[in-house]
Short mmCIF file of all heavy atoms in Angstrom, two decimals:
data_model
loop_
_atom_site.label_atom_id
_atom_site.label_comp_id
_atom_site.label_asym_id
_atom_site.label_seq_id
_atom_site.Cartn_x
_atom_site.Cartn_y
_atom_site.Cartn_z
N GLU A 819 -5.90 1.61 3.61
CA GLU A 819 -5.68 2.61 4.64
C GLU A 819 -4.22 3.07 4.60
O GLU A 819 -3.28 2.31 4.31
CB GLU A 819 -5.96 1.96 5.99
CG GLU A 819 -7.38 1.54 6.18
CD GLU A 819 -7.56 0.80 7.53
OE1 GLU A 819 -6.76 1.05 8.47
OE2 GLU A 819 -8.53 0.03 7.59
N ASN A 820 -4.00 4.34 4.91
CA ASN A 820 -2.74 4.91 5.02
C ASN A 820 -1.89 4.77 3.73
O ASN A 820 -0.78 4.31 3.72
CB ASN A 820 -1.95 4.39 6.20
CG ASN A 820 -2.54 4.62 7.49
OD1 ASN A 820 -3.15 5.72 7.67
ND2 ASN A 820 -2.51 3.75 8.45
N LEU A 821 -2.45 5.13 2.64
CA LEU A 821 -1.83 5.05 1.36
C LEU A 821 -0.69 6.03 1.16
O LEU A 821 0.29 5.71 0.49
CB LEU A 821 -2.85 5.21 0.24
CG LEU A 821 -3.78 4.07 -0.06
CD1 LEU A 821 -4.68 4.38 -1.22
CD2 LEU A 821 -3.02 2.79 -0.28
N TYR A 822 -0.77 7.25 1.63
CA TYR A 822 0.18 8.25 1.33
C TYR A 822 0.28 9.28 2.44
O TYR A 822 -0.70 9.66 3.03
CB TYR A 822 -0.23 8.94 -0.02
CG TYR A 822 0.74 9.99 -0.46
CD1 TYR A 822 1.93 9.64 -1.06
CD2 TYR A 822 0.42 11.35 -0.34
CE1 TYR A 822 2.80 10.64 -1.51
CE2 TYR A 822 1.29 12.33 -0.80
CZ TYR A 822 2.45 11.89 -1.39
OH TYR A 822 3.36 12.88 -1.83
N LEU A 823 1.48 9.73 2.72
CA LEU A 823 1.76 10.78 3.67
C LEU A 823 2.90 11.65 3.11
O LEU A 823 3.96 11.16 2.85
CB LEU A 823 2.10 10.21 5.05
CG LEU A 823 2.56 11.28 6.06
CD1 LEU A 823 1.35 12.09 6.47
CD2 LEU A 823 3.09 10.55 7.32
N HIS A 824 2.58 12.91 2.95
CA HIS A 824 3.63 13.84 2.46
C HIS A 824 3.83 14.93 3.52
O HIS A 824 2.83 15.53 4.00
CB HIS A 824 3.21 14.50 1.18
CG HIS A 824 4.27 15.55 0.75
ND1 HIS A 824 5.42 15.18 0.13
CD2 HIS A 824 4.21 16.93 0.74
CE1 HIS A 824 6.12 16.27 -0.09
NE2 HIS A 824 5.41 17.32 0.24
N SER A 825 5.04 15.14 3.98
CA SER A 825 5.34 16.15 4.99
C SER A 825 6.71 16.73 4.76
O SER A 825 7.64 16.02 4.22
CB SER A 825 5.40 15.46 6.38
OG SER A 825 5.80 16.41 7.34
N ALA A 826 6.89 17.95 5.07
CA ALA A 826 8.24 18.58 4.95
C ALA A 826 9.20 18.08 6.01
O ALA A 826 10.38 18.16 5.83
CB ALA A 826 8.09 20.10 5.08
N ARG A 827 8.64 17.53 7.06
CA ARG A 827 9.48 17.00 8.20
C ARG A 827 9.93 15.57 7.79
O ARG A 827 9.15 14.70 7.66
CB ARG A 827 8.69 16.94 9.47
CG ARG A 827 8.31 18.28 9.95
CD ARG A 827 7.47 18.14 11.19
NE ARG A 827 8.04 19.00 12.21
CZ ARG A 827 7.65 19.01 13.45
NH1 ARG A 827 6.73 18.13 13.84
NH2 ARG A 827 8.18 19.81 14.30
N LYS A 828 11.18 15.35 7.66
CA LYS A 828 11.77 14.08 7.35
C LYS A 828 12.02 13.20 8.61
O LYS A 828 12.61 13.76 9.58
CB LYS A 828 13.04 14.19 6.52
CG LYS A 828 12.86 14.93 5.27
CD LYS A 828 11.86 14.21 4.32
CE LYS A 828 11.70 14.96 3.06
NZ LYS A 828 10.53 14.62 2.35
N GLY A 829 11.57 12.01 8.62
CA GLY A 829 11.88 11.11 9.75
C GLY A 829 10.84 11.17 10.85
O GLY A 829 10.84 10.32 11.72
N LEU A 830 9.93 12.15 10.88
CA LEU A 830 8.94 12.26 11.90
C LEU A 830 7.55 12.10 11.30
O LEU A 830 7.29 12.59 10.17
CB LEU A 830 9.01 13.60 12.58
CG LEU A 830 10.28 13.88 13.39
CD1 LEU A 830 10.30 15.31 13.93
CD2 LEU A 830 10.46 12.90 14.54
N ASP A 831 6.67 11.47 12.03
CA ASP A 831 5.30 11.34 11.56
C ASP A 831 4.55 12.52 12.18
O ASP A 831 4.31 12.59 13.40
CB ASP A 831 4.76 10.01 12.02
CG ASP A 831 3.34 9.77 11.59
OD1 ASP A 831 2.69 10.66 11.00
OD2 ASP A 831 2.77 8.62 11.83
N PRO A 832 4.04 13.41 11.37
CA PRO A 832 3.42 14.63 11.92
C PRO A 832 2.07 14.33 12.53
O PRO A 832 1.48 15.21 13.22
CB PRO A 832 3.20 15.51 10.68
CG PRO A 832 3.24 14.65 9.56
CD PRO A 832 4.13 13.50 9.91
N THR A 833 1.50 13.14 12.39
CA THR A 833 0.26 12.82 12.99
C THR A 833 0.38 12.28 14.41
O THR A 833 -0.56 12.10 15.12
CB THR A 833 -0.50 11.75 12.19
OG1 THR A 833 0.29 10.54 12.15
CG2 THR A 833 -0.72 12.19 10.74
N GLN A 834 1.68 12.05 14.85
CA GLN A 834 1.92 11.55 16.17
C GLN A 834 2.19 12.72 17.10
O GLN A 834 2.64 13.79 16.75
CB GLN A 834 3.15 10.61 16.16
CG GLN A 834 3.01 9.41 15.36
CD GLN A 834 2.07 8.38 15.92
OE1 GLN A 834 1.93 8.35 17.14
NE2 GLN A 834 1.34 7.64 15.10
N ASN A 835 1.95 12.50 18.41
CA ASN A 835 2.19 13.43 19.42
C ASN A 835 3.53 13.14 20.08
O ASN A 835 3.73 12.06 20.58
CB ASN A 835 1.08 13.40 20.49
CG ASN A 835 1.27 14.41 21.60
OD1 ASN A 835 2.11 15.25 21.44
ND2 ASN A 835 0.51 14.25 22.68
N PHE A 836 4.48 14.05 19.99
CA PHE A 836 5.79 13.89 20.53
C PHE A 836 5.92 14.76 21.82
O PHE A 836 6.53 15.79 21.78
CB PHE A 836 6.87 14.24 19.52
CG PHE A 836 6.88 13.36 18.33
CD1 PHE A 836 6.25 13.68 17.16
CD2 PHE A 836 7.45 12.03 18.44
CE1 PHE A 836 6.25 12.84 16.07
CE2 PHE A 836 7.43 11.21 17.37
CZ PHE A 836 6.85 11.60 16.19
N SER A 837 5.32 14.27 22.88
CA SER A 837 5.34 15.04 24.14
C SER A 837 6.41 14.59 25.09
O SER A 837 6.51 15.13 26.17
CB SER A 837 3.95 14.91 24.79
OG SER A 837 3.75 13.54 25.19
N GLY A 838 7.21 13.64 24.69
CA GLY A 838 8.24 13.16 25.59
C GLY A 838 7.88 11.85 26.31
O GLY A 838 8.75 11.21 26.91
N LEU A 839 6.58 11.51 26.25
CA LEU A 839 6.09 10.19 26.90
C LEU A 839 6.35 9.10 25.89
O LEU A 839 6.21 9.25 24.74
CB LEU A 839 4.67 10.37 27.29
CG LEU A 839 4.34 11.44 28.27
CD1 LEU A 839 2.82 11.54 28.49
CD2 LEU A 839 5.01 11.20 29.57
N VAL A 840 6.64 7.95 26.48
CA VAL A 840 6.79 6.70 25.68
C VAL A 840 5.45 6.09 25.49
O VAL A 840 4.79 5.73 26.53
CB VAL A 840 7.84 5.77 26.25
CG1 VAL A 840 7.97 4.50 25.40
CG2 VAL A 840 9.20 6.47 26.43
N THR A 841 5.01 5.91 24.26
CA THR A 841 3.74 5.19 23.95
C THR A 841 3.99 4.20 22.91
O THR A 841 4.91 4.27 22.12
CB THR A 841 2.62 6.13 23.57
OG1 THR A 841 3.06 6.79 22.38
CG2 THR A 841 2.27 7.18 24.61
N ASN A 842 3.19 3.12 22.88
CA ASN A 842 3.31 2.13 21.90
C ASN A 842 2.36 2.38 20.72
O ASN A 842 1.35 1.64 20.49
CB ASN A 842 2.98 0.74 22.53
CG ASN A 842 3.98 0.32 23.54
OD1 ASN A 842 5.15 0.62 23.39
ND2 ASN A 842 3.52 -0.37 24.55
N GLN A 843 2.63 3.40 19.97
CA GLN A 843 1.80 3.74 18.81
C GLN A 843 2.46 3.17 17.60
O GLN A 843 3.65 3.35 17.33
CB GLN A 843 1.65 5.25 18.71
CG GLN A 843 0.86 5.82 19.84
CD GLN A 843 0.66 7.28 19.70
OE1 GLN A 843 1.21 7.94 18.82
NE2 GLN A 843 -0.14 7.87 20.54
N VAL A 844 1.60 2.54 16.77
CA VAL A 844 2.13 2.01 15.49
C VAL A 844 2.24 3.18 14.48
O VAL A 844 1.35 3.99 14.43
CB VAL A 844 1.15 0.95 14.97
CG1 VAL A 844 1.57 0.42 13.65
CG2 VAL A 844 1.05 -0.20 15.99
N GLY A 845 3.28 3.10 13.74
CA GLY A 845 3.49 4.20 12.74
C GLY A 845 2.59 4.13 11.58
O GLY A 845 1.48 3.63 11.58
N PHE A 846 3.12 4.53 10.46
CA PHE A 846 2.34 4.67 9.22
C PHE A 846 2.32 3.35 8.46
O PHE A 846 3.11 3.11 7.51
CB PHE A 846 2.96 5.80 8.39
CG PHE A 846 2.13 6.27 7.22
CD1 PHE A 846 1.03 7.07 7.46
CD2 PHE A 846 2.45 5.90 5.94
CE1 PHE A 846 0.25 7.49 6.43
CE2 PHE A 846 1.67 6.32 4.89
CZ PHE A 846 0.60 7.17 5.12
N ASN A 847 1.43 2.40 8.84
CA ASN A 847 1.36 1.12 8.17
C ASN A 847 0.31 1.18 7.14
O ASN A 847 -0.75 1.68 7.35
CB ASN A 847 1.03 0.02 9.18
CG ASN A 847 2.05 -0.18 10.20
OD1 ASN A 847 3.27 -0.06 9.85
ND2 ASN A 847 1.71 -0.52 11.37
N ARG A 848 0.63 0.60 5.97
CA ARG A 848 -0.36 0.47 4.88
C ARG A 848 -1.11 -0.83 4.96
O ARG A 848 -0.46 -1.87 5.17
CB ARG A 848 0.37 0.59 3.52
CG ARG A 848 0.84 1.97 3.24
CD ARG A 848 1.50 2.00 1.84
NE ARG A 848 2.08 3.32 1.64
CZ ARG A 848 3.29 3.64 1.94
NH1 ARG A 848 4.13 2.78 2.43
NH2 ARG A 848 3.73 4.90 1.74
N VAL A 849 -2.41 -0.75 4.78
CA VAL A 849 -3.26 -1.94 4.81
C VAL A 849 -4.13 -1.89 3.52
O VAL A 849 -4.79 -0.92 3.35
CB VAL A 849 -4.16 -1.99 6.07
CG1 VAL A 849 -5.04 -3.21 6.04
CG2 VAL A 849 -3.33 -1.95 7.31
N VAL A 850 -4.02 -2.94 2.77
CA VAL A 850 -4.84 -3.13 1.54
C VAL A 850 -5.66 -4.36 1.63
O VAL A 850 -5.11 -5.40 1.94
CB VAL A 850 -4.02 -3.10 0.27
CG1 VAL A 850 -4.89 -3.20 -0.91
CG2 VAL A 850 -3.15 -1.84 0.18
N THR A 851 -6.95 -4.27 1.43
CA THR A 851 -7.84 -5.42 1.47
C THR A 851 -8.64 -5.58 0.23
O THR A 851 -9.13 -4.59 -0.32
CB THR A 851 -8.84 -5.27 2.68
OG1 THR A 851 -8.10 -5.02 3.86
CG2 THR A 851 -9.68 -6.50 2.87
#
């Protein structure tokens, strides 16, 4: 899961919602089983 993410935006995860609210969302963690 979450093997690769390419974005022109550096430092931000484009899959996250940045609405100004603080949430406990985990970033781009790779999981291999």
Side-chain angles (χ1 to χ4, degrees):
E819 298 177 23
N820 297 326
L821 284 181
Y822 182 75
L823 176 66
H824 177 76
S825 172
R827 298 176 129 189
K828 300 299 179 199
L830 295 175
D831 184 352
T833 63
Q834 298 288 329
N835 180 12
F836 294 101
S837 63
L839 299 176
V840 177
T841 60
N842 293 327
Q843 294 182 354
V844 177
F846 193 76
N847 294 327
R848 288 182 184 92
V849 178
V850 180
T851 306

